[in-house]
Amino acid sequence: QVHLVESGGGSVRDGGSLTLSCVTSEDRIIRHCMGWFRQTPGKEREGVALYDHSARREIYADSVKGRFTISKDTTKKTLYLRMNSLKPEDTATYYCAALWNGDCDFGAEYKYGTQGTQVTVSS
């Protein structure tokens, strides 16, 4: 079982900022590939950002490059997503994810937080 708890969502205006947090209780999880995905009603979940711990690299969807930054604090077992210059199209439920099977990319198999955190951006 993978225990992931997301927080930090909210409602902001176009151009605003938010920081999402994801806490895990497991050291092995925070020291592995983790990331953020998002989903809107009627659409498939899409990858937003990944942090490949072993390779020390960040991976971003083209739609968020230059605006979002993923980071982690291993001592706090917490993954973050800083979101700047938010747009209405960023509105979604954001889920924290831990790699379950495969390589660290958006197409691999992940375990997700159960609740997600809602981000709403108004124009």
Side-chain angles (χ1 to χ4, degrees), residues 26-32 34 53 72 74 77-78:
E26 300 181 58
D27 191 66
R28 66 180 180 88
I29 295 297
I30 198 66
R31 294 182 185 279
H32 199 36
M34 293 185 69
H53 186 87
K72 65 168 65 174
T74 55
K77 298 185 179 63
T78 302

Side-chain angles (χ1 to χ4, degrees), residues 1-6 22-37 45 49-53 70 72 77 79 95-114:
Q1 287 284 50
V2 175
H3 186 62
L4 304 168
V5 180
E6 305 99 334
C22 171
V23 179
T24 178
S25 58
E26 300 181 58
D27 191 66
R28 66 180 180 88
I29 295 297
I30 198 66
R31 294 182 185 279
H32 199 36
C33 172
M34 293 185 69
W36 294 92
F37 288 69
R45 186 150 29 194
L50 297 172
Y51 190 100
D52 186 342
H53 186 87
I70 190 170
K72 65 168 65 174
K77 298 185 179 63
L79 181 75
Y95 294 90
C96 181
L99 181 65
W100 190 250
N101 190 31
D103 296 326
C104 189
D105 58 49
F106 290 131
E109 181 180 356
Y110 290 86
K111 292 294 184 181
Y112 298 96
T114 55

Side-chain angles (χ1 to χ4, degrees), residues 1 5 9 14 20-21 23 27 32 37-38 48 54 66 68 72 85 100 106 115 119:
Q1 287 284 50
V5 180
D14 191 351
L20 307 183
S21 300
V23 179
D27 191 66
H32 199 36
F37 288 69
R38 64 188 181 187
V48 176
S54 60
F68 291 11
K72 65 168 65 174
S85 302
W100 190 250
F106 290 131
Q115 294 185 324
V119 172

Side-chain angles (χ1 to χ4, degrees), residues 50-113:
L50 297 172
Y51 190 100
D52 186 342
H53 186 87
S54 60
R56 295 290 191 267
R57 66 172 180 151
E58 301 160 24
I59 302 169
Y60 296 96
D62 288 342
S63 59
V64 306
K65 281 182 182 176
R67 300 189 297 121
F68 291 11
T69 302
I70 190 170
S71 62
K72 65 168 65 174
D73 185 332
T74 55
T75 61
K76 296 181 179 179
K77 298 185 179 63
T78 302
L79 181 75
Y80 301 98
L81 184 68
R82 175 65 179 177
M83 305 185 294
N84 294 327
S85 302
L86 282 161
K87 305 175 182 180
E89 51 263 44
D90 294 317
T91 295
T93 301
Y94 285 70
Y95 294 90
C96 181
L99 181 65
W100 190 250
N101 190 31
D103 296 326
C104 189
D105 58 49
F106 290 131
E109 181 180 356
Y110 290 86
K111 292 294 184 181
Y112 298 96

